[in-house]
Amino acid sequence: MGIKKLATFEFAGYPQWGVLTEDETGIYSAFSLEEAFFIPLPETLLEFVRLGNDGLLALASAWEQNETTKAVSPIALDTVQILAPFPEVERNIFCVGKNYSDHIDELKDLAPQLAPQPTHPVIFTKAATSVIGTNEIIQSHKGITKELDYEGELAVIIGKTGIDISEAEAMNYVYGFTILNDITARDLQRNHEQWFLGKSLQTFCPMGPYLLLRDAAPSSFTITTEVNGQLRQDASTAECIFSIAHLIHTLSQGMPLMAGDVLATGTPSGVGMGFNPPRYLKTHDTVSVNISAIGTLTNTIE
């Protein structure tokens, strides 16, 4: 078995990161692997990603030694709290709007200004302070918004710094993938026109549960979103208008992408705003976004 999924977690009050077991019932602590085999590994998963291939080689060496010696045992996954892969990102999350034709179609009557299919990627950001992990609470911010919505998305983790990246080379800058729920206050989004405020309130960026390494990823992903067990979104990333390579190329023109940056690739149809009448999120609702190759990101509204 090779290394496929990484995660940040809290165990016995201590935040750390590690490698999931193949059956995903346990996690090997990077701290324990470092201590057992005297192979330096950084304290956080974000720092590890920034080491690029050198970090992966170091982790693989520790992993292979442990496969032989069994010096380190996995921690049972049901005894840890899984956190966002990067609980404290240092830059805003890059996001893409209007990247699925069906999502554009479902909004054309409600928001005609969003109806035209874009000829260039629509880019915005979410504040770094909005990130939370799976099973954490999404605050409803009732005094600020009455139209709370979900957007299940595939997120790309950038693995090395680059600028003016060609589309042909773009996938070489991908470290891995995770899930992101682009929680949105539709009334703020509408009232302020620019989307940043309506998408950046605290807890509006659930992310996780795991980081799937690029080499373990399929060529495309199926995304489903459920609210209280009811299927709302079901699509494939193969339906995206703009490919991941094109998005990376576009974002990097004249502006460096940094190792550890997160890029959310857009949401398919089935958002609450798209129903008639709209089905916005309410207190006690549970939202689960699943990408089978990665896992399930679940959060409850408070």
Side-chain angles (χ1 to χ4, degrees):
M1 170 202 156
I3 298 169
K4 295 181 179 179
K5 294 183 183 181
L6 309 176
T8 298
F9 64 99
E10 185 175 300
F11 180 66
Y14 179 71
Q16 50 190 304
W17 65 277
V19 183
L20 260 67
T21 59
E22 185 172 19
D23 62 5
E24 297 187 17
T25 63
I27 189 165
Y28 288 93
S29 164
F31 174 79
S32 297
L33 292 171
E34 176 184 46
E35 191 174 55
F37 303 111
F38 306 101
I39 294 177
L41 294 170
E43 186 173 335
T44 70
L45 184 53
L46 179 56
E47 292 172 314
F48 178 72
V49 167
R50 287 173 173 165
L51 292 178
N53 286 333
D54 289 343
L56 287 171
L57 289 172
L59 181 61
S61 176
W63 180 267
E64 290 166 5
Q65 291 182 63
N66 196 59
E67 289 282 272
T68 301
T69 65
K70 307 299 182 185
V72 176
S73 298
I75 304 168
L77 205 62
D78 59 8
T79 66
V80 310
Q81 178 186 353
I82 298 295
L83 307 176
F86 309 145
E88 295 182 357
V89 296
E90 295 180 3
R91 304 221 297 175
N92 283 4
I93 292 85
F94 293 102
C95 301
V96 180
K98 300 170 61 174
N99 201 21
Y100 289 81
S101 296
D102 287 349
H103 177 52
I104 296 171
D105 289 343
E106 73 177 339
L107 300 180
K108 63 184 179 182
D109 293 331
L110 296 167
Q113 73 277 14
L114 299 178
Q117 184 162 305
T119 56
H120 297 82
V122 176
I123 306 295
F124 60 96
T125 71
K126 293 176 79 78
T129 52
S130 63
V131 172
I132 59 171
T134 192
N135 296 320
E136 292 189 57
I137 296 296
I138 297 170
Q139 298 171 25
S140 57
H141 296 283
K142 292 180 180 178
I144 302 172
T145 177
K146 307 298 182 187
E147 299 178 3
L148 194 67
D149 210 348
Y150 54 86
E151 295 190 3
E153 308 194 13
L154 173 72
V156 177
I157 309 299
I158 300 299
K160 59 181 179 178
T161 297
I163 190 169
D164 298 331
I165 301 166
S166 71
E167 197 162 333
E169 289 293 321
M171 293 307 293
N172 293 329
Y173 286 78
V174 174
Y175 192 91
F177 304 89
T178 192
I179 304 170
L180 189 146
N181 189 348
D182 179 18
I183 298 294
T184 304
R186 296 297 185 193
D187 38 6
L188 294 185
Q189 182 184 29
R190 180 176 59 252
N191 293 345
H192 294 274
E193 297 186 10
Q194 211 281 346
W195 298 354
F196 177 75
L197 186 59
K199 291 175 174 284
S200 292
L201 303 186
Q202 279 195 322
T203 71
F204 272 25
C205 190
M207 186 165 61
Y210 312 126
L211 191 165
L212 175 70
L213 294 177
R214 181 190 63 193
D215 290 347
S219 57
S220 64
F221 297 85
T222 297
I223 305 173
T224 61
T225 302
E226 295 183 354
V227 178
N228 302 327
Q230 179 189 59
L231 183 65
R232 296 284 185 86
Q233 296 183 288
D234 187 356
S236 168
T237 57
E239 301 169 30
C240 285
I241 297 168
F242 301 107
S243 68
I244 291 169
H246 186 76
L247 296 175
I248 290 172
H249 165 70
T250 300
L251 274 168
S252 71
Q253 297 307 294
M255 179 179 69
L257 286 178
M258 312 290 285
D261 279 346
V262 179
L263 167 61
T265 56
T267 199
S269 64
V271 298
M273 180 184 178
F275 290 90
N276 187 14
R279 299 180 183 177
Y280 293 124
L281 297 171
K282 305 180 298 296
T283 302
H284 307 308
D285 281 350
T286 296
V287 187
S288 294
V289 184
N290 176 267
I291 297 179
S292 58
I294 300 172
T296 302
L297 173 67
T298 299
N299 301 90
T300 299
I301 312 301
E302 184 179 80

